[in-house]
Amino acid sequence: MSSSVRTLLIGANGQLGQELRQVYADHDSIPLTHADLDVTDGKQSEGVLDRYAPDLILNTAAYHRVDECEDFPARAYEVNALAVRNLAQWAKAHGAVLVHFSTDYVFDGSLNRPYTEADPPRPLSAYGISKLAGEYFIRAIHERHFVIRTCGLYGIAGSSGKGGNFIETMLRLAREGKEIKVVGDQVLTPTSAKELAAKVREVVNTDAYGLYHITNNGACSWYEFAAAIFEMAGMHPRLLETSSAAFGARATRPAYSVLDNATLRALGLDDLRHWREALKEYLADRLRTGEKE
Ligand SMILES: NC(=O)c1ccc[n+]([C@@H]2O[C@H](COP(=O)([O-])OP(=O)(O)OC[C@H]3O[C@@H](n4cnc5c(N)ncnc54)[C@H](OP(=O)(O)O)[C@@H]3O)[C@@H](O)[C@H]2O)c1
């Protein structure tokens, strides 16, 4: 897609939104934050879409507080499914390309190898179900789409002053001198929002519409991820491994949700780095952008 393409970015202040903003800075782009547009307001969304008439819509908006979604499943469905349906309908009617993001939590984690795009989903949580419904609405409504599932996302916009992500939470707990317990029985691939955003642009440029898994490479448990963060940051907190059962989160999460970037590989585009390399870069970036500790 050429840089004259009018590009509407929804959720522009989020972790992925901020990275996409940079990646598409040379486009005729309109970055909209939650304050500018609430996607669950159908009338407002339609008005905004009509006004800007984008050729490309990048939707990063989501309700993804996974435990909260168990208590507010209707809200999860509104943001993650019904609002997405509206975007797909508008995109279909106006010939725009729709890029939308989904999650590894559409899987139940019972496989013992990375999940490809061809593996059947079976979400375990209200969040996962709502995200899968969003995927299905898009697939049913509009062919010119990219649905991109990712996993364990972290980006500079999630740095501590701006809402948090797993890395920032770990660093904060270590600074506070707290004992830190992290689950060792959920395996994933932590993924850099910066790398994902760059790859999104490459994929969108192919016009090869469809469903994609895009994560960094390698895999680890959340416990191993935490240990790597402290090792690279030169911190030595008391870090203990716990189990999902002992941790007792409200939502059930898959024990294993590593995604295989199979479609990306088939296109010759799966050159994302190992998660440890991406983590190293994030830790350097956050220091450069003002997180001093
Ligand atoms: N984070 C992860 O670990 C992870 C893992 C797998 C997949 N994903 C998916 O990746 C995508 C991006 O995630 P992220 O980590 O970048 O999330 P994020 O940092 O929370 O960004 C999402 C953005 O959407 C905005 N938003 C929320 N509800 C909205 C609404 N009703 N209308 C308009 N904007 C709204 C949020 O604004 P406010 O903060 O002001 O509400 C926020 O700026 C999501 O689709 C998510 O499901 C994330």
Side-chain angles (χ1 to χ4, degrees), residues 10-17 32-35 37-41 59-65 75 79-80 83 100-105 127 131 148-154 157-158 193 196 222:
I10 301 172
N13 270 359
Q15 302 194 95
L16 181 57
L32 299 180
T33 67
H34 195 170
L37 168 66
D38 181 345
V39 287
T40 63
D41 182 335
N59 178 38
T60 72
Y63 180 41
H64 62 85
R65 291 194 197 111
R75 177 74 188 151
V79 181
N80 298 333
H100 176 70
F101 296 90
S102 188
T103 172
D104 54 320
Y105 284 7
Y127 169 68
K131 293 293 287 186
I148 296 170
R149 292 183 185 141
T150 191
C151 176
L153 208 56
Y154 58 85
L196 171 60
W222 286 106

Side-chain angles (χ1 to χ4, degrees), residues 78-278:
E78 255 186 280
V79 181
N80 298 333
L82 294 179
V84 176
R85 175 174 180 258
N86 289 341
L87 294 177
Q89 284 174 333
W90 191 94
K92 164 90 176 163
H94 297 81
V97 172
L98 176 60
V99 180
H100 176 70
F101 296 90
S102 188
T103 172
D104 54 320
Y105 284 7
V106 298
F107 293 114
D108 68 5
S110 60
L111 268 194
N112 52 12
R113 56 147 176 86
Y115 284 89
T116 74
E117 292 85 349
D119 286 315
R122 197 181 81 88
L124 303 173
S125 62
Y127 169 68
I129 291 168
S130 68
K131 293 293 287 186
L132 185 61
E135 290 187 10
Y136 283 169
F137 275 129
I138 295 179
R139 268 169 52 179
I141 293 168
H142 186 34
E143 195 215 325
R144 298 180 70 206
H145 69 259
F146 295 89
V147 170
I148 296 170
R149 292 183 185 141
T150 191
C151 176
L153 208 56
Y154 58 85
I156 288 294
S159 55
S160 55
K162 303 160 195 155
N165 60 35
F166 181 79
I167 301 173
E168 297 302 331
T169 302
M170 289 299 112
L171 295 174
R172 178 176 51 77
L173 292 174
R175 282 196 300 272
E176 291 168 2
K178 300 228 166 95
E179 178 181 276
I180 303 169
K181 287 188 181 166
V182 180
V183 295
D185 56 1
Q186 289 171 32
V187 174
L188 73 153
T189 307
T191 296
S192 150
K194 182 175 170 182
E195 259 190 78
L196 171 60
K199 191 54 69 178
V200 166
R201 180 155 176 171
E202 279 183 57
V203 168
V204 169
N205 283 346
T206 64
D207 289 340
Y209 303 118
L211 176 63
Y212 287 81
H213 289 176
I214 307 185
T215 66
N216 277 113
N217 274 295
C220 61
S221 69
W222 286 106
Y223 171 79
E224 290 165 335
F225 186 29
I229 293 165
F230 297 133
E231 175 204 314
M232 289 182 199
M235 296 172 103
H236 304 281
R238 193 163 144 68
L239 173 66
L240 302 175
E241 182 168 351
T242 187
S243 66
S244 304
F247 196 81
R250 288 208 291 299
T252 307
R253 289 153 168 88
Y256 179 90
S257 60
V258 178
L259 301 180
D260 181 349
N261 298 342
T263 308
L264 204 59
R265 198 167 51 248
L267 289 173
L269 295 177
D270 185 24
D271 55 358
L272 281 96
R273 291 176 303 170
H274 192 274
W275 65 265
R276 287 184 64 95
E277 293 305 309

